[in-house]
Amino acid sequence: MEYQKIIDEIAREIKPEKFPGEVAEYIPELAKVSGDKFGIHMHCIDKGHYCHGDSNEKFSIQSIAKVFTLSMAVRQMDEDLWERTDVEPSGDPFNSLTQLEYESGIPRNPLINAGALVICDVLLSQMKNPRAELLQFVRKLVGSDDIHFDETVAKSEAKHGARNAALVSFMKSFDNIHNKTEDVLDLYFHTCSLSMTCKELAQAFMIYANRGVILETGEQILSGIQTKRINAIMQTCGFYDEAGEFAFRVGLPGKSGVGGGIAAVHPGYYSVAVWSPKLNPKSNSALGMRVLELLTTKTGLSVF
Ligand code: GLN
């Protein structure tokens, strides 16, 4: 299939500067990014690469990192992990506190903030230096050492992190956080501050399209069943209270972040990452969703 032609055609159809949406402002550092940025990178299982626009510019991947930390925790704990977090869609915003009260401090899933904070707690208990391990993990998936935290973004979020602090304290009261609140938050804010390009994200996400194996090196990172489960969680929980809409319109397991990125996979076929910082009211990239909808429609390649 002529993927490059299709991507160019999509890029001609959409107009980033005219697309509605707001750049995230609650983390002041993110508000500085131009809303007109747009990049896409598609990486196929036959090793083909196709891209357009700002696909080689680094941006804050934010909640997309929750898939990486989940993968690390699954490797460490396997089945026991599911006692600390559920795997049901939340139907609530990413930073909601409400369900935690009546579900005794067990987050709905690991891809909302509450769940990702528990995953950070798990990593702190299991590893000496989880921050360094995360960098090493993502660098290995991408095949590049040029992956870093953006300390300015991490600090900016820490300064305005009252809500995430509330989530950690609340879950601590149910004994579902075992480490110090400040350590959990520090690790969490750093994971969100990872800076990557669309190309790097598509390369990293290839393991979820390739049964847990790094395409370039053949190294098995996750087992087949672990990969299946992470993809299932992305499909049902990757877009907060818009997971149904994403499945309906795009039809791929994926994950969004408030930096405007979305990474998604079609297992057995391809991984893809898009970046457009203007968000819709559910905090997902408005243009990113539209572009992926056009991609799966024009190629006929979605999981449904
Ligand atoms: N760092 C952001 C937060 O915790 C991540 C949210 C997101 O990308 N949806 O608020």
Side-chain angles (χ1 to χ4, degrees), residues 26-27 30 60-66 94-95 111-113 117 153 157 160-161 163-164 167 188-189 191-193 238 240 255-261 279 282-284:
Y26 76 103
I27 302 172
L30 296 184
S60 189
I61 72 164
Q62 291 294 316
S63 280
I64 299 173
K66 291 178 167 80
F94 63 89
N95 55 5
L111 299 184
I112 52 174
N113 285 20
L117 288 159
V153 171
E157 184 164 6
H160 298 84
R163 210 174 167 89
N164 285 313
L167 285 165
Y188 174 77
F189 294 143
T191 66
C192 294
S193 81
Y240 322 114
K255 182 75 201 83
S256 62
V258 291
L279 308 179
K282 306 274 170 136
S283 301
N284 295 313

Coordinates of all heavy atoms in Angstrom, one line a residue, residues 26-27 30 60-66 94-95 111-113 117 153 157 160-161 163-164 167 188-189 191-193 238 240 255-261 279 282-284, ligand 1:
Y26 N -2.9 24.0 32.2 CA -2.8 23.8 33.6 C -1.4 23.4 34.0 O -1.0 23.4 35.2 CB -3.8 22.7 34.1 CG -3.5 21.3 33.8 CD1 -3.0 20.5 34.7 CD2 -3.7 20.8 32.5 CE1 -2.7 19.2 34.5 CE2 -3.4 19.5 32.2 CZ -2.9 18.7 33.2 OH -2.6 17.4 32.9
I27 N -0.6 23.0 33.0 CA 0.9 22.8 33.2 C 1.5 24.0 32.4 O 1.6 23.9 31.2 CB 1.4 21.5 32.8 CG1 0.7 20.3 33.5 CG2 2.9 21.4 33.0 CD1 1.0 18.9 33.0
L30 N 3.6 23.6 29.2 CA 2.9 23.1 28.0 C 2.2 24.2 27.2 O 2.1 24.1 26.0 CB 1.9 22.0 28.4 CG 2.5 20.7 29.0 CD1 1.4 19.7 29.2 CD2 3.6 20.1 28.2
S60 N 6.4 17.0 24.7 CA 6.2 16.3 26.0 C 5.2 15.2 25.8 O 4.0 15.5 25.5 CB 5.7 17.4 27.0 OG 5.6 16.9 28.3
I61 N 5.6 14.0 26.1 CA 4.7 12.8 25.8 C 3.6 12.7 26.9 O 2.6 12.0 26.7 CB 5.4 11.5 25.5 CG1 6.0 10.9 26.8 CG2 6.4 11.7 24.4 CD1 6.4 9.4 26.6
Q62 N 3.8 13.3 28.1 CA 2.8 13.2 29.1 C 2.3 11.8 29.4 O 3.1 10.9 29.6 CB 1.7 14.2 28.9 CG 2.3 15.7 29.0 CD 2.7 16.0 30.4 OE1 2.0 15.7 31.4 NE2 3.8 16.7 30.6
S63 N 1.0 11.6 29.3 CA 0.4 10.3 29.7 C 0.7 9.2 28.8 O 0.4 8.0 29.2 CB -1.1 10.5 29.8 OG -1.5 11.1 31.1
I64 N 1.3 9.4 27.7 CA 1.7 8.3 26.8 C 2.7 7.4 27.6 O 2.8 6.2 27.4 CB 2.2 8.8 25.4 CG1 1.2 9.6 24.7 CG2 2.7 7.6 24.6 CD1 1.6 10.2 23.4
A65 N 3.5 8.1 28.5 CA 4.5 7.4 29.2 C 3.8 6.3 30.2 O 4.5 5.4 30.6 CB 5.3 8.4 30.1
K66 N 2.6 6.5 30.4 CA 1.9 5.5 31.3 C 2.0 4.1 30.7 O 1.9 3.1 31.5 CB 0.4 5.9 31.6 CG 0.3 7.2 32.4 CD -1.2 7.6 32.6 CE -1.4 8.7 33.7 NZ -1.2 10.0 33.4
F94 N -9.2 12.1 33.3 CA -8.0 11.4 33.6 C -7.6 11.6 35.1 O -6.9 10.8 35.7 CB -6.8 11.8 32.7 CG -6.5 13.2 32.7 CD1 -5.5 13.7 33.6 CD2 -7.0 14.1 31.8 CE1 -5.1 15.0 33.6 CE2 -6.7 15.5 31.8 CZ -5.7 15.9 32.7
N95 N -7.9 12.8 35.6 CA -7.4 13.1 37.0 C -8.5 13.1 38.1 O -8.4 13.7 39.1 CB -6.8 14.5 37.0 CG -7.7 15.6 36.4 OD1 -8.9 15.3 36.2 ND2 -7.2 16.8 36.3
L111 N -4.1 3.5 33.3 CA -3.8 4.5 32.3 C -4.5 5.9 32.7 O -4.4 6.8 31.9 CB -4.2 4.1 30.9 CG -3.4 2.9 30.3 CD1 -3.8 2.6 28.9 CD2 -1.9 3.1 30.4
I112 N -5.2 5.9 33.8 CA -5.6 7.2 34.4 C -4.6 7.6 35.4 O -3.7 6.8 35.8 CB -7.0 7.1 35.0 CG1 -7.1 5.9 36.0 CG2 -8.1 7.0 33.9 CD1 -8.4 5.9 36.8
N113 N -4.6 8.8 35.9 CA -3.6 9.3 36.8 C -3.5 8.4 38.0 O -2.4 8.1 38.4 CB -3.8 10.7 37.2 CG -3.5 11.7 36.0 OD1 -3.4 11.3 34.9 ND2 -3.2 13.0 36.4
L117 N -0.1 6.5 39.1 CA 0.6 6.8 40.4 C 0.8 5.5 41.2 O 1.9 5.3 41.8 CB -0.3 7.8 41.2 CG -0.3 9.2 40.6 CD1 -1.4 10.0 41.1 CD2 1.1 9.9 40.9
V153 N 9.7 20.9 32.4 CA 8.3 20.5 32.4 C 8.0 19.7 33.8 O 6.9 20.0 34.4 CB 8.0 19.5 31.2 CG1 6.6 18.9 31.3 CG2 8.1 20.3 29.9
E157 N 5.1 21.0 36.4 CA 4.0 20.2 36.8 C 4.0 20.0 38.3 O 2.9 20.0 39.0 CB 4.0 18.8 36.1 CG 2.7 18.0 36.5 CD 2.4 16.9 35.6 OE1 3.2 16.6 34.7 OE2 1.4 16.3 35.8
H160 N 2.3 22.7 40.2 CA 0.8 22.8 40.0 C 0.2 21.4 40.2 O -0.8 21.1 39.6 CB 0.5 23.4 38.6 CG 1.0 24.8 38.5 ND1 2.3 25.0 38.1 CD2 0.4 26.0 38.7 CE1 2.4 26.3 38.0 NE2 1.3 26.9 38.4
G161 N 0.9 20.6 41.0 CA 0.5 19.2 41.1 C -0.4 18.8 42.3 O -0.5 17.6 42.7
R163 N -3.5 18.2 42.6 CA -4.5 17.2 42.3 C -3.9 15.8 42.3 O -4.4 14.9 42.9 CB -5.2 17.5 41.0 CG -6.5 17.0 41.0 CD -7.3 17.3 39.7 NE -8.5 16.5 39.8 CZ -9.6 16.8 40.3 NH1 -9.8 18.0 40.9 NH2 -10.6 16.0 40.4
N164 N -2.7 15.7 41.7 CA -2.0 14.4 41.7 C -1.6 14.1 43.2 O -1.6 12.9 43.6 CB -0.8 14.4 40.8 CG -1.3 14.3 39.3 OD1 -2.1 13.4 39.0 ND2 -0.8 15.1 38.5
L167 N -4.5 12.6 44.9 CA -4.8 11.3 44.5 C -3.8 10.3 45.3 O -4.3 9.3 45.8 CB -4.5 11.1 43.0 CG -5.6 11.6 42.1 CD1 -5.1 11.7 40.6 CD2 -6.8 10.7 42.1
Y188 N 6.4 10.2 39.1 CA 5.3 10.4 38.2 C 5.5 11.6 37.3 O 5.4 11.5 36.1 CB 4.0 10.5 38.9 CG 2.8 10.8 38.1 CD1 2.2 9.8 37.2 CD2 2.3 12.1 38.0 CE1 1.2 10.2 36.4 CE2 1.3 12.4 37.1 CZ 0.7 11.5 36.3 OH -0.3 11.8 35.5
F189 N 5.9 12.7 37.9 CA 6.1 14.0 37.1 C 7.2 13.8 36.1 O 7.2 14.3 35.0 CB 6.3 15.2 38.0 CG 5.1 15.5 38.9 CD1 5.3 16.0 40.2 CD2 3.9 15.4 38.4 CE1 4.2 16.3 41.0 CE2 2.7 15.7 39.2 CZ 2.9 16.2 40.5
T191 N 8.1 10.9 34.7 CA 7.7 10.0 33.6 C 6.9 10.9 32.6 O 7.1 10.7 31.4 CB 6.8 8.8 34.1 OG1 5.6 9.3 34.6 CG2 7.4 8.0 35.1
C192 N 6.0 11.7 33.1 CA 5.2 12.6 32.2 C 6.0 13.6 31.4 O 5.6 14.1 30.3 CB 4.2 13.4 33.0 SG 2.9 12.4 33.8
S193 N 7.2 13.9 31.9 CA 8.0 14.9 31.3 C 8.9 14.4 30.2 O 9.7 15.1 29.6 CB 8.9 15.6 32.3 OG 10.1 14.9 32.6
G238 N -7.4 3.9 27.0 CA -6.3 4.8 26.6 C -6.7 6.2 26.4 O -5.8 7.1 26.3
Y240 N -9.3 7.9 28.4 CA -10.2 8.3 29.5 C -11.6 8.2 29.1 O -12.1 7.1 28.7 CB -9.8 9.8 29.9 CG -8.3 10.1 29.8 CD1 -7.8 10.9 28.9 CD2 -7.5 9.4 30.6 CE1 -6.4 11.1 28.8 CE2 -6.1 9.6 30.5 CZ -5.6 10.5 29.6 OH -4.3 10.7 29.5
K255 N -2.8 5.4 23.1 CA -2.7 6.2 24.3 C -2.5 7.7 23.9 O -1.6 8.0 23.1 CB -1.6 5.7 25.2 CG -1.5 6.4 26.5 CD -2.6 6.0 27.5 CE -2.8 7.1 28.6 NZ -3.7 8.2 28.1
S256 N -3.1 8.6 24.6 CA -3.0 10.0 24.4 C -2.2 10.7 25.6 O -2.1 10.1 26.6 CB -4.4 10.7 24.3 OG -5.0 10.5 25.5
G257 N -1.8 11.9 25.3 CA -1.2 12.7 26.4 C -1.6 14.1 26.2 O -1.9 14.6 25.1
V258 N -1.6 14.9 27.4 CA -2.0 16.3 27.3 C -1.0 17.2 26.5 O -1.3 18.4 26.3 CB -2.4 16.9 28.6 CG1 -3.6 16.3 29.2 CG2 -1.2 16.9 29.6
G259 N 0.2 16.7 26.2 CA 1.1 17.4 25.3 C 0.6 17.4 23.9 O 1.2 18.0 23.0
G260 N -0.5 16.6 23.6 CA -1.1 16.6 22.2 C -0.6 15.4 21.4 O -0.9 15.3 20.2
G261 N 0.1 14.5 22.0 CA 0.5 13.3 21.3 C -0.5 12.2 21.4 O -1.2 12.1 22.4
L279 N -6.1 20.5 22.3 CA -6.8 19.4 22.8 C -8.3 19.6 22.7 O -8.8 20.8 22.7 CB -6.5 19.2 24.3 CG -5.0 19.1 24.7 CD1 -4.8 18.9 26.2 CD2 -4.4 17.9 23.9
K282 N -12.1 16.6 26.1 CA -11.8 15.4 26.9 C -10.3 15.3 27.1 O -9.8 14.2 27.5 CB -12.3 14.2 26.2 CG -13.8 14.2 26.0 CD -14.6 13.8 27.1 CE -16.1 14.0 27.0 NZ -17.0 13.0 27.3
S283 N -9.5 16.3 26.7 CA -8.1 16.4 26.9 C -7.3 15.4 25.9 O -6.2 15.0 26.2 CB -7.6 16.1 28.3 OG -8.2 17.0 29.2
N284 N -7.9 15.1 24.8 CA -7.2 14.3 23.8 C -7.0 15.2 22.6 O -7.8 16.2 22.3 CB -8.0 13.1 23.3 CG -8.2 12.1 24.5 OD1 -7.2 11.8 25.2 ND2 -9.4 11.7 24.7
Ligands
GLN1 N1 1.1 15.0 33.7 C1 -0.3 15.1 33.4 C2 -1.1 15.1 34.7 O1 -0.9 14.3 35.5 C3 -0.7 13.9 32.5 C4 -2.1 13.9 32.1 C5 -2.3 13.5 30.7 O2 -1.5 13.5 29.8 N2 -3.6 13.1 30.4 O3 -2.0 15.9 34.8

